[in-house]
Amino acid sequence: MGLKEVERKKLGLLLILLGVAVWPVAAVFNIATRTALALHLSLVIPGVYLRGSRILRFLRRK
């Protein structure tokens, strides 16, 4: 595992955590659910892509 891959995984994990943290912040500041969902997905999806997952590896094989 090279340094570049480690950095990708760290950045991916950070994006996923920020995406999850959107929900409590949205609840405190009364942000609309659709807006929070859009922000959540815009952070989590790239995070999963950068971090990699078993599902993504499975889909790439097909």
Side-chain angles (χ1 to χ4, degrees), residues 2-18:
L3 183 61
K4 183 178 179 181
E5 186 174 340
V6 171
E7 290 174 0
R8 284 177 50 111
K9 287 189 176 215
K10 285 182 181 179
L11 180 59
L13 181 61
L14 177 65
L15 287 174
I16 292 169
L17 292 174
L18 287 173

Side-chain angles (χ1 to χ4, degrees), residues 15-37:
L15 287 174
I16 292 169
L17 292 174
L18 287 173
V20 171
V22 165
W23 293 108
V25 172
V28 169
F29 291 110
N30 288 333
I31 297 174
T33 304
R34 288 184 182 182
T35 305
L37 180 61

